[in-house]
Structure formats: structure tokens, C-alpha cells
Amino acid sequence: MLIFQSRPVMGTGYRPVRGYNLNYEGDGDLSETLFVQWEPKSGPSPKGQRWPPAAPDFRTQCLDYYDAALTLRDQISVLFALAIEQPEDFLKEKEHISRMRFIHYPEGAQAGNGMGAHTDPGIFTILYQQPGSKGLQVLTPENEWIDVPAVPGHLIVHFGDQMGCLTNDVFRSPLHRVVTQPGTERYSIAMFSYVDVNVAFGPLAQFVSAARPAKYETVVPQDEYKKLETRYLRDSKL
Ligand SMILES: O=C(O)CCC(=O)C(=O)O
Ligand SMILES: [Fe+2]
């Protein structure tokens, strides 16, 4: 039995179809998701983490991918830190939390709300899409939803809300959604990288000026995660 994910943002575990309602509208998302956190291959698993017992290789394969994704995250963090004119370890030192979400969108007879429009909350996200699968869309600055193709050998990297906060929206978190396509299922894997829950966090001085006043207050991420979870729980259909 997979453990139900009771904390929708920072928890781990399984949520079935309609277990999320990310745009807070309608009947919930058609995705079913398994959230895991990193753990050493030698175990033991952290509290709340359960792996599907029917697929013994799944855990090892997931953790192999997780290790590779974290290495990539560290490399990208250096690039983003330099891009915002900070020392190369600036983001790496802040990013102490990650979660990986394995997502399945079941096949349906018609197009559906796979995952409602949302931005991701962390620093940035590394997203793997099953090659050839369809459905991911991103909103352009011109307010147009465009498809994000699943190109074999490619990963999608996009900013999250914490990067928006840090850079006063110079690097913005894109609004995205998944519209399931009739007659096909879809798999994807998202890895979210977050800053330490207890370290106060706000726009860097270099991104704030009289012409560009701060759009965000300095916050403690823990409080923001709690607010987001309260909202997700309120709007969940479960
Ligand atoms: O399935 C996808 O490609 C999108 C997943 C996503 O946006 C998320 O997990 O936050
Ligand atoms: Fe997302």
C-alpha cells in the first residue's frame, strides 16, 4: 500500500487522480503523483517515504535518476548564481531541500485537465517528459498557451517562485499546465529544488530600485510552504 501524501507541498507519498487541484478550479487534476525525497541507496527510508512494493527495481532506478538530477541541479545552480552576479555557491548554499514527483496522466477519451495552470514554488525545476508525449503548455508573455514538445534527450529547466522573489521577477516562474490528449497517457518526472525552510529570503538589493520597487517581502520559506499547503488542502477534492 502506498502511503497517502498528506502534506501536498513538502510531504512525500502518493496522491491519486484528482488528489491535486492546482488551479483551484473544477474537479481536480487528472494526474496521479508519487512524491519522494532523496534518500541514500543503502537506506533506511525517511519517515513517510514508501516505495511501490510490487516494483522492487523502481526505488533503485528512481534514486539513480535522483542522484543524476541533483548533480545537474548543482551545476545549473552555479550558472544561475553567476547570472545574478553572485558568488558561484550562492544558490547551492541555500538549496537544501528537493522533492521529486513521478507523474502519470491516465489515458482518457477526450482532452482533460491533467494539471491545472500553476507556477512551481521552488528555486527551479528540472522536468523530464516521456519522449513523444504531449500536453505540457506554457503561457507566453503575450498570454498565449504554447506546447512544450517532449524532445528525446532533452530536459526542461524552469524557474520557480523563489527565483522570482530573489530577482524581483527579473527571472520569473512561468505559468504552465498539462492538457491531456485524447487516447494517450503521459508520464513525466519533476524535480523541485527549494531553499532551506528557515532562512529568511527576499529580493536581492541589486534587483530593487525606485523604478522597480520590491514586489516581494522578505519571508521565511517555512511560512510560505505552510500557506501553500493550507491552500492546496482546502481546494483538494479528496
Ligand atoms: O507533467 C508535466 O510535464 C508537468 C509537471 C508539473 O508541472 C509539476 O509537477 O509541477
Ligand atoms: Fe509545475
Side-chain angles (χ1 to χ4, degrees):
M1 222 340 236
L2 283 172
I3 194 168
F4 178 72
Q5 184 196 357
S6 54
R7 294 181 51 214
V9 179
M10 300 314 282
T12 52
Y14 174 74
R15 284 195 159 227
V17 167
R18 301 196 199 282
Y20 277 94
N21 189 21
L22 283 195
N23 62 359
Y24 310 109
E25 290 167 5
D27 288 339
D29 299 346
L30 294 175
S31 54
E32 54 170 344
T33 63
L34 174 67
F35 255 101
V36 301
Q37 60 179 299
W38 184 85
E39 64 177 54
K41 284 204 199 90
S42 54
S45 293
K47 194 165 166 271
Q49 179 122 295
R50 291 273 178 87
W51 298 95
D57 292 341
F58 182 75
R59 173 180 177 274
T60 331
Q61 286 167 359
C62 289
L63 291 175
D64 279 345
Y65 178 72
Y66 211 143
D67 282 339
L70 284 177
T71 303
L72 180 64
R73 181 206 54 183
D74 286 349
Q75 291 165 345
I76 294 172
S77 293
V78 169
L79 297 179
F80 286 163
L82 294 176
I84 57 174
E85 294 168 356
Q86 297 295 321
E88 42 180 71
D89 285 341
F90 178 77
L91 288 172
K92 253 163 76 175
E93 280 168 0
K94 292 188 170 15
E95 290 171 289
H96 289 303
I97 306 174
S98 65
R99 290 285 182 275
M100 190 166 275
R101 181 194 244 167
F102 297 89
I103 312 164
H104 175 232
Y105 301 85
E107 183 179 326
Q110 60 224 5
N113 173 39
M115 198 173 274
H118 66 281
T119 56
D120 290 356
I123 289 278
F124 66 92
T125 301
I126 299 175
L127 178 71
Y128 168 84
Q129 307 187 76
Q130 177 190 16
S133 64
K134 295 199 167 66
L136 179 63
Q137 297 186 327
V138 66
L139 192 68
T140 65
E142 293 72 40
N143 252 359
E144 199 191 332
W145 287 105
I146 55 165
D147 294 331
V148 182
V151 181
H154 287 218
L155 295 166
I156 310 288
V157 176
H158 66 82
F159 297 128
D161 297 335
Q162 289 178 339
M163 198 65 168
C165 171
L166 204 56
T167 64
N168 205 19
D169 271 353
V170 171
F171 286 172
R172 280 184 61 186
S173 173
L175 199 63
H176 56 287
R177 68 181 182 188
V178 174
V179 180
T180 55
Q181 301 300 301
T184 58
E185 57 178 354
R186 170 188 168 83
Y187 287 92
S188 58
I189 308 171
M191 196 196 79
F192 310 99
S193 185
Y194 302 95
V195 296
D196 191 316
V197 287
N198 294 314
V199 177
F201 192 75
L204 292 167
Q206 79 203 73
F207 293 107
V208 180
S209 63
R212 195 178 179 89
K215 295 184 180 180
Y216 301 93
E217 288 169 18
T218 296
V219 291
V220 178
Q222 177 87 300
D223 302 337
E224 298 305 296
Y225 299 148
K226 277 194 195 135
K227 274 190 227 154
L228 198 57
E229 289 196 311
T230 307
R231 191 161 178 212
Y232 278 176
L233 287 170
R234 194 194 63 204
D235 292 287
S236 162
K237 297 293 166 196
L238 294 177

